[in-house]
Amino acid sequence: MWSNLRDAWKIPEIRKKLLFTLATVFIFRIGSAIPVPYMNQEAIQQLFNNSQGTMLDFLDMMAGGNISQFSVFATSIYPYITASIVIQLLTYAIPSLEELAKDEDGRKKIQIYTRYLGIALAFVTAIGYTFGLFGSALEATTLMQKMIVVLSIVGGTAFLIWLSDQITMYGISNGSSIIIFLGIIGKLPGDIRKMIYGVKIGYISILSVVLFTIFALFVVVIVVAINEGERRIPVQYAKRVVGRKLYGGQATHIPIKVSMSGVMPIIFANAIMSIPGLLSIFNPEGGFARFFTNWFTTQTVKGTVIYTILNIVLIIAFAFFYSSMQFNTVEYSKNLQQQGGFIPGIRPGKPTSVYLQRILDRVVIVGAIVLAFLATIPTFVSIFTKIPIAFGGTSLIIVVGVVIEIVKSIEQQMLIRHYKGFLN
């Protein structure tokens, strides 16, 4: 593996991508340490220490710890993720957006719409944070100072949106996933310190730590397994004569990944589950905030059950939604027929698309259920072991999934240049 790493580093293009990605890590960590002006950091920390609810902890986990520090990246990139979900759903519902999505120029326009909506959502969230959830920590007195506070948060989100696009174009893997990955990793040292402190004072037992570690390793193994699993559908190409040459006749296969959508269903599900918490930030002591805390967080038994059920349903739904976007069975069947290919025992055309859709549904449901199961079990383990570490739930799956995506991205780029596979 180290030999292949050295080979990857020797390729100028890959080395530039790796250095660019590492530079974005450095930039992200700097931004996470820049506090929003006119906000009392001690009051914010006191608010977190005295809070008995889990809404703050949940939102802070989503932002990678940037809310507790109230840095310029307090809203992270989740407004953009939420905007992406909304625009993608509208693309299926509005014919004009569906037409735009069919060509390259149209897709660029949709990306622009998504950025504008993401910044608008960041603006609304920043207002809620400044004057609602953390209103007691606000030290700004003039209108200009209050505008600076809000615009600092919005500017941080806009910068992360731009940075994620730059990572996608010039770095390794998907930019949004990298940003979320960095946020989760950035909160990990603090969570580990809390766990060590809990062990020292006797709140957490050594047995609980061992049990949690075993479950974490189990999650890592299963995530790697489902990311590597695939169903191969055999394809045969008919022989045809063009001039004096004979083409076709070879046999190949269509790979359908068990986890075709990767960690995106979990990221999308987390974004949706955070919406009630974001709506309650305008009145954190109101009835809606208490209702959300009691019914949609893991603070109470009923909240844990409802949160778990909704999270499972959303993960499975987004797994099907994302897979349908990546693998259009109708278009694939048409392309296969035009190229003279067919699946043995299946007639070309509509029967092929129906067969592919049936196989796709069976494969996706298996991967989605496993993914939902893995996203649920660690949460209960964290509650049972009393380990206050956000890394134990869906965050662990996101981290493992993003690492696998990065490794595969490097491997693909090396294979393109006729190098030995990164994993071999």
PDB file of all heavy atoms in Angstrom, residues 89-115:
ATOM      1  N   LEU A  89     -35.552  17.602  -5.722  1.00  0.00           N
ATOM      2  CA  LEU A  89     -36.955  17.193  -5.664  1.00  0.00           C
ATOM      3  C   LEU A  89     -37.813  18.027  -6.623  1.00  0.00           C
ATOM      4  O   LEU A  89     -38.719  17.501  -7.278  1.00  0.00           O
ATOM      5  CB  LEU A  89     -37.482  17.323  -4.235  1.00  0.00           C
ATOM      6  CG  LEU A  89     -36.890  16.355  -3.206  1.00  0.00           C
ATOM      7  CD1 LEU A  89     -37.408  16.671  -1.809  1.00  0.00           C
ATOM      8  CD2 LEU A  89     -37.215  14.911  -3.574  1.00  0.00           C
ATOM      9  N   LEU A  90     -37.521  19.322  -6.694  1.00  0.00           N
ATOM     10  CA  LEU A  90     -38.265  20.187  -7.616  1.00  0.00           C
ATOM     11  C   LEU A  90     -37.972  19.844  -9.074  1.00  0.00           C
ATOM     12  O   LEU A  90     -38.823  20.053  -9.946  1.00  0.00           O
ATOM     13  CB  LEU A  90     -37.919  21.660  -7.348  1.00  0.00           C
ATOM     14  CG  LEU A  90     -38.433  22.244  -6.030  1.00  0.00           C
ATOM     15  CD1 LEU A  90     -37.964  23.687  -5.877  1.00  0.00           C
ATOM     16  CD2 LEU A  90     -39.959  22.188  -5.979  1.00  0.00           C
ATOM     17  N   THR A  91     -36.779  19.319  -9.334  1.00  0.00           N
ATOM     18  CA  THR A  91     -36.431  18.927 -10.697  1.00  0.00           C
ATOM     19  C   THR A  91     -37.364  17.838 -11.215  1.00  0.00           C
ATOM     20  O   THR A  91     -37.730  17.822 -12.398  1.00  0.00           O
ATOM     21  CB  THR A  91     -34.976  18.436 -10.759  1.00  0.00           C
ATOM     22  OG1 THR A  91     -34.114  19.490 -10.311  1.00  0.00           O
ATOM     23  CG2 THR A  91     -34.581  18.049 -12.174  1.00  0.00           C
ATOM     24  N   TYR A  92     -37.762  16.935 -10.327  1.00  0.00           N
ATOM     25  CA  TYR A  92     -38.702  15.881 -10.707  1.00  0.00           C
ATOM     26  C   TYR A  92     -40.134  16.403 -10.806  1.00  0.00           C
ATOM     27  O   TYR A  92     -40.952  15.857 -11.553  1.00  0.00           O
ATOM     28  CB  TYR A  92     -38.643  14.728  -9.697  1.00  0.00           C
ATOM     29  CG  TYR A  92     -37.500  13.793  -9.919  1.00  0.00           C
ATOM     30  CD1 TYR A  92     -36.254  14.055  -9.360  1.00  0.00           C
ATOM     31  CD2 TYR A  92     -37.642  12.650 -10.691  1.00  0.00           C
ATOM     32  CE1 TYR A  92     -35.177  13.202  -9.559  1.00  0.00           C
ATOM     33  CE2 TYR A  92     -36.567  11.791 -10.900  1.00  0.00           C
ATOM     34  CZ  TYR A  92     -35.348  12.070 -10.331  1.00  0.00           C
ATOM     35  OH  TYR A  92     -34.282  11.222 -10.543  1.00  0.00           O
ATOM     36  N   ALA A  93     -40.457  17.470 -10.040  1.00  0.00           N
ATOM     37  CA  ALA A  93     -41.832  17.964  -9.979  1.00  0.00           C
ATOM     38  C   ALA A  93     -42.131  19.035 -11.024  1.00  0.00           C
ATOM     39  O   ALA A  93     -43.272  19.150 -11.486  1.00  0.00           O
ATOM     40  CB  ALA A  93     -42.131  18.513  -8.580  1.00  0.00           C
ATOM     41  N   ILE A  94     -41.113  19.814 -11.410  1.00  0.00           N
ATOM     42  CA  ILE A  94     -41.322  20.936 -12.347  1.00  0.00           C
ATOM     43  C   ILE A  94     -40.711  20.561 -13.703  1.00  0.00           C
ATOM     44  O   ILE A  94     -39.506  20.341 -13.804  1.00  0.00           O
ATOM     45  CB  ILE A  94     -40.677  22.224 -11.800  1.00  0.00           C
ATOM     46  CG1 ILE A  94     -41.279  22.575 -10.437  1.00  0.00           C
ATOM     47  CG2 ILE A  94     -40.867  23.373 -12.785  1.00  0.00           C
ATOM     48  CD1 ILE A  94     -40.638  23.785  -9.783  1.00  0.00           C
ATOM     49  N   PRO A  95     -41.533  20.502 -14.757  1.00  0.00           N
ATOM     50  CA  PRO A  95     -41.031  20.092 -16.086  1.00  0.00           C
ATOM     51  C   PRO A  95     -39.918  20.988 -16.619  1.00  0.00           C
ATOM     52  O   PRO A  95     -38.990  20.504 -17.267  1.00  0.00           O
ATOM     53  CB  PRO A  95     -42.283  20.169 -16.971  1.00  0.00           C
ATOM     54  CG  PRO A  95     -43.432  20.020 -16.024  1.00  0.00           C
ATOM     55  CD  PRO A  95     -42.999  20.675 -14.751  1.00  0.00           C
ATOM     56  N   SER A  96     -40.000  22.306 -16.361  1.00  0.00           N
ATOM     57  CA  SER A  96     -38.968  23.206 -16.887  1.00  0.00           C
ATOM     58  C   SER A  96     -37.601  22.904 -16.278  1.00  0.00           C
ATOM     59  O   SER A  96     -36.586  22.932 -16.974  1.00  0.00           O
ATOM     60  CB  SER A  96     -39.360  24.666 -16.608  1.00  0.00           C
ATOM     61  OG  SER A  96     -39.535  24.880 -15.214  1.00  0.00           O
ATOM     62  N   LEU A  97     -37.560  22.603 -14.975  1.00  0.00           N
ATOM     63  CA  LEU A  97     -36.294  22.235 -14.345  1.00  0.00           C
ATOM     64  C   LEU A  97     -35.796  20.885 -14.837  1.00  0.00           C
ATOM     65  O   LEU A  97     -34.592  20.669 -14.989  1.00  0.00           O
ATOM     66  CB  LEU A  97     -36.453  22.197 -12.823  1.00  0.00           C
ATOM     67  CG  LEU A  97     -36.582  23.544 -12.102  1.00  0.00           C
ATOM     68  CD1 LEU A  97     -36.792  23.322 -10.607  1.00  0.00           C
ATOM     69  CD2 LEU A  97     -35.353  24.404 -12.341  1.00  0.00           C
ATOM     70  N   GLU A  98     -36.725  19.980 -15.121  1.00  0.00           N
ATOM     71  CA  GLU A  98     -36.344  18.676 -15.655  1.00  0.00           C
ATOM     72  C   GLU A  98     -35.707  18.811 -17.030  1.00  0.00           C
ATOM     73  O   GLU A  98     -34.755  18.082 -17.366  1.00  0.00           O
ATOM     74  CB  GLU A  98     -37.565  17.769 -15.718  1.00  0.00           C
ATOM     75  CG  GLU A  98     -37.245  16.328 -16.081  1.00  0.00           C
ATOM     76  CD  GLU A  98     -38.460  15.436 -16.033  1.00  0.00           C
ATOM     77  OE1 GLU A  98     -39.567  15.942 -15.762  1.00  0.00           O
ATOM     78  OE2 GLU A  98     -38.317  14.223 -16.277  1.00  0.00           O
ATOM     79  N   GLU A  99     -36.215  19.742 -17.834  1.00  0.00           N
ATOM     80  CA  GLU A  99     -35.621  19.985 -19.149  1.00  0.00           C
ATOM     81  C   GLU A  99     -34.235  20.590 -19.010  1.00  0.00           C
ATOM     82  O   GLU A  99     -33.321  20.262 -19.774  1.00  0.00           O
ATOM     83  CB  GLU A  99     -36.525  20.914 -19.969  1.00  0.00           C
ATOM     84  CG  GLU A  99     -37.810  20.271 -20.456  1.00  0.00           C
ATOM     85  CD  GLU A  99     -37.561  19.130 -21.434  1.00  0.00           C
ATOM     86  OE1 GLU A  99     -36.607  19.241 -22.233  1.00  0.00           O
ATOM     87  OE2 GLU A  99     -38.299  18.130 -21.383  1.00  0.00           O
ATOM     88  N   LEU A 100     -34.077  21.494 -18.040  1.00  0.00           N
ATOM     89  CA  LEU A 100     -32.760  22.096 -17.832  1.00  0.00           C
ATOM     90  C   LEU A 100     -31.723  21.050 -17.434  1.00  0.00           C
ATOM     91  O   LEU A 100     -30.558  21.141 -17.820  1.00  0.00           O
ATOM     92  CB  LEU A 100     -32.839  23.171 -16.738  1.00  0.00           C
ATOM     93  CG  LEU A 100     -33.436  24.524 -17.115  1.00  0.00           C
ATOM     94  CD1 LEU A 100     -33.520  25.412 -15.887  1.00  0.00           C
ATOM     95  CD2 LEU A 100     -32.614  25.209 -18.201  1.00  0.00           C
ATOM     96  N   ALA A 101     -32.150  20.054 -16.676  1.00  0.00           N
ATOM     97  CA  ALA A 101     -31.222  19.044 -16.169  1.00  0.00           C
ATOM     98  C   ALA A 101     -30.718  18.103 -17.252  1.00  0.00           C
ATOM     99  O   ALA A 101     -29.789  17.326 -17.007  1.00  0.00           O
ATOM    100  CB  ALA A 101     -31.879  18.233 -15.057  1.00  0.00           C
ATOM    101  N   LYS A 102     -31.281  18.156 -18.457  1.00  0.00           N
ATOM    102  CA  LYS A 102     -30.909  17.222 -19.511  1.00  0.00           C
ATOM    103  C   LYS A 102     -29.668  17.645 -20.296  1.00  0.00           C
ATOM    104  O   LYS A 102     -29.120  16.848 -21.054  1.00  0.00           O
ATOM    105  CB  LYS A 102     -32.094  17.022 -20.477  1.00  0.00           C
ATOM    106  CG  LYS A 102     -33.279  16.294 -19.836  1.00  0.00           C
ATOM    107  CD  LYS A 102     -34.407  16.095 -20.817  1.00  0.00           C
ATOM    108  CE  LYS A 102     -35.574  15.342 -20.182  1.00  0.00           C
ATOM    109  NZ  LYS A 102     -36.706  15.160 -21.118  1.00  0.00           N
ATOM    110  N   ASP A 103     -29.249  18.911 -20.183  1.00  0.00           N
ATOM    111  CA  ASP A 103     -28.057  19.348 -20.911  1.00  0.00           C
ATOM    112  C   ASP A 103     -27.085  20.027 -19.960  1.00  0.00           C
ATOM    113  O   ASP A 103     -27.434  20.387 -18.831  1.00  0.00           O
ATOM    114  CB  ASP A 103     -28.432  20.304 -22.059  1.00  0.00           C
ATOM    115  CG  ASP A 103     -29.167  21.544 -21.563  1.00  0.00           C
ATOM    116  OD1 ASP A 103     -28.494  22.493 -21.143  1.00  0.00           O
ATOM    117  OD2 ASP A 103     -30.420  21.543 -21.579  1.00  0.00           O
ATOM    118  N   GLU A 104     -25.870  20.206 -20.416  1.00  0.00           N
ATOM    119  CA  GLU A 104     -24.794  20.718 -19.570  1.00  0.00           C
ATOM    120  C   GLU A 104     -25.057  22.143 -19.113  1.00  0.00           C
ATOM    121  O   GLU A 104     -24.875  22.478 -17.935  1.00  0.00           O
ATOM    122  CB  GLU A 104     -23.465  20.648 -20.325  1.00  0.00           C
ATOM    123  CG  GLU A 104     -22.254  21.049 -19.501  1.00  0.00           C
ATOM    124  CD  GLU A 104     -21.987  20.089 -18.357  1.00  0.00           C
ATOM    125  OE1 GLU A 104     -22.385  18.905 -18.466  1.00  0.00           O
ATOM    126  OE2 GLU A 104     -21.402  20.514 -17.348  1.00  0.00           O
ATOM    127  N   ASP A 105     -25.482  23.021 -20.026  1.00  0.00           N
ATOM    128  CA  ASP A 105     -25.755  24.418 -19.667  1.00  0.00           C
ATOM    129  C   ASP A 105     -26.888  24.506 -18.650  1.00  0.00           C
ATOM    130  O   ASP A 105     -26.850  25.331 -17.728  1.00  0.00           O
ATOM    131  CB  ASP A 105     -26.102  25.221 -20.919  1.00  0.00           C
ATOM    132  CG  ASP A 105     -24.915  25.370 -21.857  1.00  0.00           C
ATOM    133  OD1 ASP A 105     -23.771  25.284 -21.369  1.00  0.00           O
ATOM    134  OD2 ASP A 105     -25.135  25.557 -23.074  1.00  0.00           O
ATOM    135  N   GLY A 106     -27.900  23.655 -18.829  1.00  0.00           N
ATOM    136  CA  GLY A 106     -29.017  23.655 -17.890  1.00  0.00           C
ATOM    137  C   GLY A 106     -28.595  23.209 -16.506  1.00  0.00           C
ATOM    138  O   GLY A 106     -29.048  23.773 -15.501  1.00  0.00           O
ATOM    139  N   ARG A 107     -27.731  22.215 -16.449  1.00  0.00           N
ATOM    140  CA  ARG A 107     -27.252  21.754 -15.144  1.00  0.00           C
ATOM    141  C   ARG A 107     -26.440  22.831 -14.438  1.00  0.00           C
ATOM    142  O   ARG A 107     -26.466  22.933 -13.202  1.00  0.00           O
ATOM    143  CB  ARG A 107     -26.433  20.476 -15.312  1.00  0.00           C
ATOM    144  CG  ARG A 107     -27.281  19.235 -15.576  1.00  0.00           C
ATOM    145  CD  ARG A 107     -26.458  17.969 -15.461  1.00  0.00           C
ATOM    146  NE  ARG A 107     -25.519  17.845 -16.573  1.00  0.00           N
ATOM    147  CZ  ARG A 107     -25.791  17.236 -17.717  1.00  0.00           C
ATOM    148  NH1 ARG A 107     -26.993  16.702 -17.916  1.00  0.00           N
ATOM    149  NH2 ARG A 107     -24.881  17.141 -18.676  1.00  0.00           N
ATOM    150  N   LYS A 108     -25.698  23.628 -15.209  1.00  0.00           N
ATOM    151  CA  LYS A 108     -24.948  24.728 -14.597  1.00  0.00           C
ATOM    152  C   LYS A 108     -25.897  25.769 -14.006  1.00  0.00           C
ATOM    153  O   LYS A 108     -25.630  26.317 -12.924  1.00  0.00           O
ATOM    154  CB  LYS A 108     -24.040  25.377 -15.641  1.00  0.00           C
ATOM    155  CG  LYS A 108     -22.873  24.501 -16.071  1.00  0.00           C
ATOM    156  CD  LYS A 108     -21.996  25.213 -17.088  1.00  0.00           C
ATOM    157  CE  LYS A 108     -20.821  24.337 -17.510  1.00  0.00           C
ATOM    158  NZ  LYS A 108     -19.965  25.012 -18.524  1.00  0.00           N
ATOM    159  N   LYS A 109     -27.020  26.030 -14.706  1.00  0.00           N
ATOM    160  CA  LYS A 109     -28.012  26.964 -14.171  1.00  0.00           C
ATOM    161  C   LYS A 109     -28.638  26.425 -12.882  1.00  0.00           C
ATOM    162  O   LYS A 109     -28.859  27.173 -11.926  1.00  0.00           O
ATOM    163  CB  LYS A 109     -29.100  27.221 -15.211  1.00  0.00           C
ATOM    164  CG  LYS A 109     -28.639  28.023 -16.412  1.00  0.00           C
ATOM    165  CD  LYS A 109     -29.787  28.280 -17.374  1.00  0.00           C
ATOM    166  CE  LYS A 109     -29.326  29.096 -18.571  1.00  0.00           C
ATOM    167  NZ  LYS A 109     -30.430  29.345 -19.541  1.00  0.00           N
ATOM    168  N   ILE A 110     -28.906  25.119 -12.855  1.00  0.00           N
ATOM    169  CA  ILE A 110     -29.482  24.514 -11.651  1.00  0.00           C
ATOM    170  C   ILE A 110     -28.504  24.618 -10.486  1.00  0.00           C
ATOM    171  O   ILE A 110     -28.900  24.866  -9.338  1.00  0.00           O
ATOM    172  CB  ILE A 110     -29.858  23.042 -11.928  1.00  0.00           C
ATOM    173  CG1 ILE A 110     -31.052  22.984 -12.888  1.00  0.00           C
ATOM    174  CG2 ILE A 110     -30.189  22.311 -10.636  1.00  0.00           C
ATOM    175  CD1 ILE A 110     -31.470  21.586 -13.264  1.00  0.00           C
ATOM    176  N   GLN A 111     -27.208  24.454 -10.758  1.00  0.00           N
ATOM    177  CA  GLN A 111     -26.202  24.608  -9.709  1.00  0.00           C
ATOM    178  C   GLN A 111     -26.190  26.032  -9.158  1.00  0.00           C
ATOM    179  O   GLN A 111     -26.028  26.243  -7.952  1.00  0.00           O
ATOM    180  CB  GLN A 111     -24.827  24.243 -10.250  1.00  0.00           C
ATOM    181  CG  GLN A 111     -24.648  22.750 -10.520  1.00  0.00           C
ATOM    182  CD  GLN A 111     -23.279  22.430 -11.116  1.00  0.00           C
ATOM    183  OE1 GLN A 111     -22.487  23.334 -11.390  1.00  0.00           O
ATOM    184  NE2 GLN A 111     -23.006  21.154 -11.332  1.00  0.00           N
ATOM    185  N   ILE A 112     -26.385  27.016 -10.055  1.00  0.00           N
ATOM    186  CA  ILE A 112     -26.446  28.416  -9.618  1.00  0.00           C
ATOM    187  C   ILE A 112     -27.666  28.635  -8.734  1.00  0.00           C
ATOM    188  O   ILE A 112     -27.585  29.282  -7.677  1.00  0.00           O
ATOM    189  CB  ILE A 112     -26.471  29.361 -10.835  1.00  0.00           C
ATOM    190  CG1 ILE A 112     -25.145  29.281 -11.595  1.00  0.00           C
ATOM    191  CG2 ILE A 112     -26.741  30.793 -10.396  1.00  0.00           C
ATOM    192  CD1 ILE A 112     -25.126  30.066 -12.883  1.00  0.00           C
ATOM    193  N   TYR A 113     -28.826  28.074  -9.139  1.00  0.00           N
ATOM    194  CA  TYR A 113     -30.033  28.189  -8.328  1.00  0.00           C
ATOM    195  C   TYR A 113     -29.810  27.558  -6.949  1.00  0.00           C
ATOM    196  O   TYR A 113     -30.260  28.098  -5.931  1.00  0.00           O
ATOM    197  CB  TYR A 113     -31.212  27.494  -9.016  1.00  0.00           C
ATOM    198  CG  TYR A 113     -31.592  28.078 -10.349  1.00  0.00           C
ATOM    199  CD1 TYR A 113     -32.249  27.309 -11.309  1.00  0.00           C
ATOM    200  CD2 TYR A 113     -31.299  29.407 -10.668  1.00  0.00           C
ATOM    201  CE1 TYR A 113     -32.604  27.832 -12.542  1.00  0.00           C
ATOM    202  CE2 TYR A 113     -31.650  29.944 -11.898  1.00  0.00           C
ATOM    203  CZ  TYR A 113     -32.296  29.149 -12.840  1.00  0.00           C
ATOM    204  OH  TYR A 113     -32.643  29.677 -14.064  1.00  0.00           O
ATOM    205  N   THR A 114     -29.124  26.425  -6.927  1.00  0.00           N
ATOM    206  CA  THR A 114     -28.862  25.738  -5.661  1.00  0.00           C
ATOM    207  C   THR A 114     -27.989  26.583  -4.746  1.00  0.00           C
ATOM    208  O   THR A 114     -28.227  26.667  -3.538  1.00  0.00           O
ATOM    209  CB  THR A 114     -28.184  24.382  -5.920  1.00  0.00           C
ATOM    210  OG1 THR A 114     -28.994  23.607  -6.822  1.00  0.00           O
ATOM    211  CG2 THR A 114     -28.012  23.609  -4.628  1.00  0.00           C
ATOM    212  N   ARG A 115     -26.978  27.240  -5.313  1.00  0.00           N
ATOM    213  CA  ARG A 115     -26.099  28.095  -4.497  1.00  0.00           C
ATOM    214  C   ARG A 115     -26.884  29.267  -3.917  1.00  0.00           C
ATOM    215  O   ARG A 115     -26.720  29.592  -2.724  1.00  0.00           O
ATOM    216  CB  ARG A 115     -24.934  28.600  -5.346  1.00  0.00           C
ATOM    217  CG  ARG A 115     -23.973  27.508  -5.798  1.00  0.00           C
ATOM    218  CD  ARG A 115     -22.740  28.107  -6.431  1.00  0.00           C
ATOM    219  NE  ARG A 115     -21.904  27.091  -7.041  1.00  0.00           N
ATOM    220  CZ  ARG A 115     -21.869  26.835  -8.349  1.00  0.00           C
ATOM    221  NH1 ARG A 115     -22.618  27.545  -9.182  1.00  0.00           N
ATOM    222  NH2 ARG A 115     -21.080  25.884  -8.833  1.00  0.00           N
TER     223      ARG A 115
END
